[in-house]
Amino acid sequence: DLNEKITWVNPAFQKITGYSLTDAMGENPGKLLQGPDSSIETKALMKQRIALRMPFEVEIINYSKDKRPYWTSIQCQPQTNESGVVNGFFTIQTDITERKRLQAQLNQEIEQRQKKVTAAMVKAQEKERNEIGKELHDNVNQVLSTVKLYLGILKEPSLQKEDLVDKSIHYLQDCIDEIRKISKRLSCPTGELNLEE
């Protein structure tokens, strides 16, 4: 009613909550059914909507007579007399505990899958970094060391200067090509860029 007191409940309500019609008559639904895990925000929203004589639909944790928590979907509509004046409310409560349990299970599975994907990505990145580090150390580093050696020899009087310069240029080009290959592997593909308007 307008004083937020229960005036009637059906057998389905009695089955879900464990409260008989006699238990529920004259009680405030919030005080009768809500408990420690019932959302404060949702309770405030329901109270506000009732005060404004407006309909609402919410999901909240309620408690049965034996203190068993259950998730419920509540749909509430104001009832009006012939003049259109609100004289009470009609509420339908649906037990959605199983749906919430399955949703929580699905969310947990999604989270676990996401963790596995993230772990696999990190492992792949570490492997790629190790391979790149090895390539830089084994290939590029050795070639640059050879070029440095050749340049050191060029300081000395030698008949092979032109040959050493040619080899140095060739090896430096190999280094440039190798670094370019590594850079391409590291850069993310961005797809084609379309500048047309």
Side-chain angles (χ1 to χ4, degrees), residues 46-116:
M46 289 191 290
K47 193 157 190 64
Q48 177 196 41
R49 291 295 204 161
I50 288 169
L52 294 171
R53 310 297 192 241
M54 294 178 69
F56 62 85
E57 184 172 349
V58 297
E59 294 179 355
I60 193 169
I61 294 177
N62 275 352
Y63 289 81
S64 64
K65 187 175 182 178
D66 63 1
K67 305 301 178 206
R68 175 187 55 84
Y70 65 94
W71 272 99
T72 183
S73 169
I74 299 173
Q75 298 173 333
C76 183
Q77 291 288 333
Q79 290 179 310
T80 57
N81 61 22
E82 295 81 19
S83 305
V85 176
V86 174
N87 59 8
F89 297 90
F90 181 79
T91 305
I92 298 174
Q93 176 180 215
T94 308
D95 186 341
I96 58 169
T97 306
E98 183 62 14
R99 188 188 87 197
K100 287 288 191 176
R101 186 190 68 76
L102 291 173
Q103 185 63 52
Q105 183 180 343
L106 178 62
N107 291 344
Q108 188 177 19
E109 288 174 9
I110 289 170
E111 186 179 336
Q112 287 173 348
R113 238 180 260 138
Q114 187 61 43
K115 283 180 182 176
K116 285 181 182 176

Side-chain angles (χ1 to χ4, degrees), residues 113-130:
R113 238 180 260 138
Q114 187 61 43
K115 283 180 182 176
K116 285 181 182 176
V117 168
T118 302
M121 286 173 60
V122 167
K123 189 175 180 181
Q125 287 173 348
E126 286 175 356
K127 183 180 176 189
E128 187 175 31
R129 283 190 188 114
N130 287 337

